[in-house]
Amino acid sequence: MNEGLQDRLEKFGLSLYMIRVTLAASLSWLTVHTLYGDSYLYFAPLAAILITQGSVKASFEKGVYRMTGVVLGGIVSLIVGRFFDVGALSILLMLLVGIGIATACRINIQAISQVGVTSVLALTFYHDHYIEWRVAETLIGVIIALIINMIIVPPKGFVKVKGLAFEGSLLLADALSGLAGGGRGAPQVSDTLARSASLLARSEQQQKELHYTLTHYQCRSELRGLSQATAHLKQIQCYVKEISSEIALLPTHHAASDWMAEIVNATADCIALYGTKTLSDAESQHPLPESLRRARDLQLAWFSELQGQCSLTSIRDLGAVFSHLNRVLEEIEQADYVVISAAPQNSKTEATRAMHFIQKGLSHKL
């Protein structure tokens, strides 16, 4: 689908989900009508509508739950229907047996509810081959819905989710830089952190929608790397949030000091460099390993100097800030190592060098 066309359609409420649902339901009805004629035509489109989700994996899981419920409910209704007529007693017994077995087997709640629905309907239509039609046409609807989910995907989906993660990484770096002035009364920092978390979450969700699609096959290795990078950035976002809270509790002469600004900005630069290197095609102004080394050296140097100037209480509070700043660097190093490890062999020397940084740190001093 053309990107501009999709944007225009969404203005009128024609979302990608709606397109998937309508196509899946229509094709399911057409398929069953072609194969079987006019018998129970509604089961296949109904299944297609109910199992269509945002991702292929979610649709597959819901399809499995629905098929499990249909089959189990059909079996129970066949057994009960041989001995009882339709009535309160037969429905009670059928639901007790069917739902009881499903619950005992720890089947998903969606499948359990489907057991009850299928059992009641199957008992009602016991003499009309309802169960055979229900299973066959539900399976057709599930298969067609999965195929539509695999084919109908957002245009330039991978580029979009990568852009969202990149923008989230830059906002994350901006939020950390915003703490350089002390982090006091800075709602813009909290707002930037929230926007960054939202972008990373959107990117992660949309990445899941690309898995197991036809377009996913072309960029499966890049999508795997993007998923790993997004997970690391989300962990860094948690550390930055902790740093924000800890800096806000420091005395002003520490929180707003020049040395604190230098350390925080150096760490923020590493986040921005990692995002630029991993999530964009832009050239980094400085090599990431050198920036990581500089940021860590600054942390070590200033923490060593402060130990001879501050009280134990101040060292304790400052240690929490330095500890999380160091964890940010370690997370970036680990993330960058994963990226380099997936690169050609001539880049492995850089990976070894990056791992050397991980062995250093503040952990032995904090």
Side-chain angles (χ1 to χ4, degrees):
M1 182 187 298
N2 181 269
E3 184 176 6
L5 176 60
Q6 185 197 7
D7 294 337
R8 289 193 295 271
L9 290 175
E10 287 185 351
K11 292 180 180 179
F12 297 98
L14 298 176
S15 64
L16 195 67
Y17 173 77
M18 178 182 288
I19 294 172
R20 287 171 175 168
V21 168
T22 53
L23 280 177
S26 301
L27 291 176
S28 298
W29 187 94
L30 181 62
T31 301
V32 172
H33 179 72
T34 302
L35 292 176
Y36 301 115
D38 296 328
S39 299
Y40 302 112
L41 289 176
Y42 47 86
F43 294 142
L46 182 63
I49 293 170
L50 293 177
I51 76 146
T52 299
Q53 303 294 308
S55 66
V56 177
K57 182 179 179 181
S59 295
F60 177 77
E61 290 175 350
K62 197 155 188 177
V64 170
Y65 298 148
R66 187 167 181 82
M67 287 300 303
T68 302
V70 168
V71 171
L72 182 56
I75 293 174
V76 173
S77 65
L78 282 175
I79 296 173
V80 174
R82 295 181 67 89
F83 303 99
F84 297 92
D85 294 328
V86 179
L89 178 61
S90 60
I91 292 177
L92 174 64
L93 179 61
M94 181 175 55
L95 292 179
L96 284 175
V97 174
I99 295 179
I101 293 175
T103 303
C105 295
R106 302 295 189 271
I107 295 177
N108 186 276
I109 187 64
Q110 298 182 53
I112 293 177
S113 62
Q114 186 60 51
V115 170
V117 172
T118 302
S119 298
V120 173
L121 292 176
L123 188 62
T124 303
F125 296 102
Y126 181 74
H127 299 293
D128 295 330
H129 304 286
Y130 171 88
I131 298 172
E132 294 89 335
W133 289 109
R134 181 70 184 269
V135 172
E137 297 190 17
T138 297
L139 180 61
I140 291 173
V142 168
I143 292 174
I144 291 178
L146 288 175
I147 294 174
I148 292 297
N149 255 34
M150 294 175 66
I151 296 175
I152 306 298
V153 296
K156 300 181 180 179
F158 179 75
V159 176
K160 286 184 176 180
V161 297
K162 190 174 181 180
L164 287 173
F166 178 50
E167 187 178 352
S169 69
L170 295 183
L171 286 175
L172 191 55
D174 288 342
L176 184 55
S177 295
L179 300 174
R184 294 184 178 276
Q188 65 274 15
V189 172
S190 299
D191 180 64
T192 304
L193 274 175
R195 288 164 54 201
S196 172
S198 175
L199 288 172
L200 293 174
R202 283 174 54 196
S203 177
E204 185 178 50
Q205 177 60 38
Q206 293 181 24
Q207 288 168 36
K208 294 178 181 178
E209 295 181 8
L210 294 178
H211 281 291
Y212 310 111
T213 63
L214 296 183
T215 57
H216 156 263
Y217 185 80
Q218 301 172 357
C219 58
R220 58 191 183 281
S221 59
E222 292 89 345
L223 185 58
R224 190 181 308 113
L226 177 59
S227 299
Q228 294 172 342
T230 305
H232 285 293
L233 287 170
K234 291 184 69 176
Q235 184 60 54
I236 293 172
Q237 197 269 343
C238 295
Y239 292 148
V240 173
K241 189 174 181 180
E242 291 294 329
I243 293 170
S244 176
S245 301
E246 291 157 357
I247 288 181
L249 298 175
L250 291 177
T252 304
H253 65 280
H254 286 322
S257 62
D258 292 338
W259 56 263
M260 178 64 76
E262 185 180 16
I263 294 171
V264 167
N265 283 325
T267 307
D269 289 343
C270 293
I271 298 176
L273 282 173
Y274 171 72
T276 302
K277 174 184 177 181
T278 308
L279 303 172
S280 77
D281 298 326
E283 291 291 336
S284 301
Q285 296 180 351
H286 305 285
L288 180 58
E290 291 185 10
S291 297
L292 289 167
R293 180 193 300 170
R294 175 178 176 273
R296 175 156 286 125
D297 288 344
L298 282 173
Q299 292 181 21
L300 289 168
W302 277 112
F303 191 72
S304 298
E305 184 173 340
L306 290 168
Q307 287 184 17
Q309 301 176 2
C310 302
S311 64
L312 290 177
T313 302
S314 297
I315 289 296
R316 179 197 61 194
D317 295 337
L318 287 169
V321 177
F322 276 83
S323 177
H324 279 99
L325 286 169
N326 182 61
R327 288 173 183 171
V328 170
L329 298 182
E330 288 182 342
E331 194 71 28
I332 295 173
E333 288 165 346
Q334 293 172 10
D336 189 51
Y337 176 72
V338 171
V339 173
I340 297 176
S341 297
Q345 186 66 30
N346 55 10
S347 298
K348 295 300 180 64
T349 55
E350 292 186 34
T352 305
R353 186 180 180 187
M355 282 304 295
H356 173 69
F357 295 141
I358 300 177
Q359 307 302 324
K360 299 171 62 179
L362 298 173
S363 57
H364 65 286
K365 304 195 73 173
L366 299 179

